Amino acid sequence: MKSYKWLKGSFPISISKVFDVLLLNKYTDETGEGYVLNKLRESYISGRYIQRKYQVIDVLDPYGNKSEVEVINYLTIFFTIFESKDWFIEIENPGRSITPFINNLSRIFGFGFHITELSMDLEKILTTLDIEFGSHRLSKIEITNINLENKGVGSLII
């Protein structure tokens, strides 16, 4: 099952210039982090952000002797950046944290770049679904992590 996270953002330049900046910050073994870009279209860019992390793990052998093993882990975030009237960032199957990705975007784009949570009018979405799928049967829609007036987080299952 795929899950997505959408963020509303703002970039201080055009989509083709965003592509150029991401291309200048491509992933290499020397840097250990960067972008691998798949597509540039008139209204969107798709690719992935990769960050290499080293982790030291203590391992016990059957005799109780402890040794350290260095493990390389890769954080990979698949994303699509859309430019229309507003900018949107779609993250496919977000893991535990997308903070390294957001921090890296902020670092390379600087002032003029910002991210906010995407707000939706659920009544409008449900009305549109009713109009579009009125004669069809929709088995399930699940929306989680809905911000409820900064008092809590909720979910909606239809």
Side-chain angles (χ1 to χ4, degrees):
M1 181 171 122
K2 287 189 179 183
S3 64
Y4 295 92
K5 182 175 188 86
W6 290 283
L7 301 167
K8 188 175 180 182
S10 175
F11 290 86
I13 51 181
S14 68
I15 192 95
S16 62
K17 296 291 184 192
V18 170
F19 182 84
D20 293 340
V21 171
L22 294 178
L23 199 56
L24 286 173
N25 291 280
K26 66 182 176 182
Y27 178 82
T28 64
D29 286 334
E30 291 80 35
T31 61
E33 74 174 330
Y35 300 89
V36 176
L37 302 174
N38 299 334
K39 291 182 188 175
L40 168 64
R41 297 293 185 261
E42 187 176 305
S43 61
Y44 74 92
I45 298 168
S46 69
R48 61 191 186 272
Y49 169 75
I50 302 170
Q51 182 183 53
R52 182 180 59 222
K53 294 181 179 183
Y54 291 99
Q55 183 178 11
V56 176
I57 299 174
D58 292 330
V59 179
L60 292 174
D61 67 11
Y63 304 106
N65 299 322
K66 185 165 105 173
S67 55
E68 293 181 345
V69 177
E70 187 175 68
V71 178
I72 301 173
N73 290 318
Y74 291 92
L75 168 70
T76 304
I77 298 174
F78 292 87
F79 67 90
T80 305
I81 299 173
F82 296 95
E83 179 188 31
S84 59
K85 187 180 89 173
D86 293 314
W87 289 84
F88 296 98
I89 300 174
E90 175 186 86
I91 299 172
E92 182 180 323
N93 294 326
R96 298 181 116 198
S97 176
I98 60 169
T99 304
F101 171 63
I102 300 301
N103 288 345
N104 188 271
L105 286 177
S106 182
R107 184 182 57 78
I108 63 177
F109 287 104
F111 291 114
F113 169 77
H114 73 274
I115 296 289
T116 58
E117 287 187 26
L118 185 62
S119 60
M120 296 183 273
D121 182 355
L122 289 178
E123 184 176 354
K124 185 176 179 181
I125 291 171
L126 294 174
T127 303
T128 304
L129 287 173
D130 185 41
I131 292 168
E132 295 295 323
F133 296 103
S135 62
H136 297 83
R137 182 176 178 162
L138 186 62
S139 61
K140 183 177 180 182
I141 295 177
E142 185 173 341
I143 303 171
T144 59
N145 296 328
I146 301 170
N147 186 1
L148 303 172
E149 299 177 2
N150 293 328
K151 295 179 183 174
V153 177
S155 63
L156 171 69
I157 298 175
I158 302 172

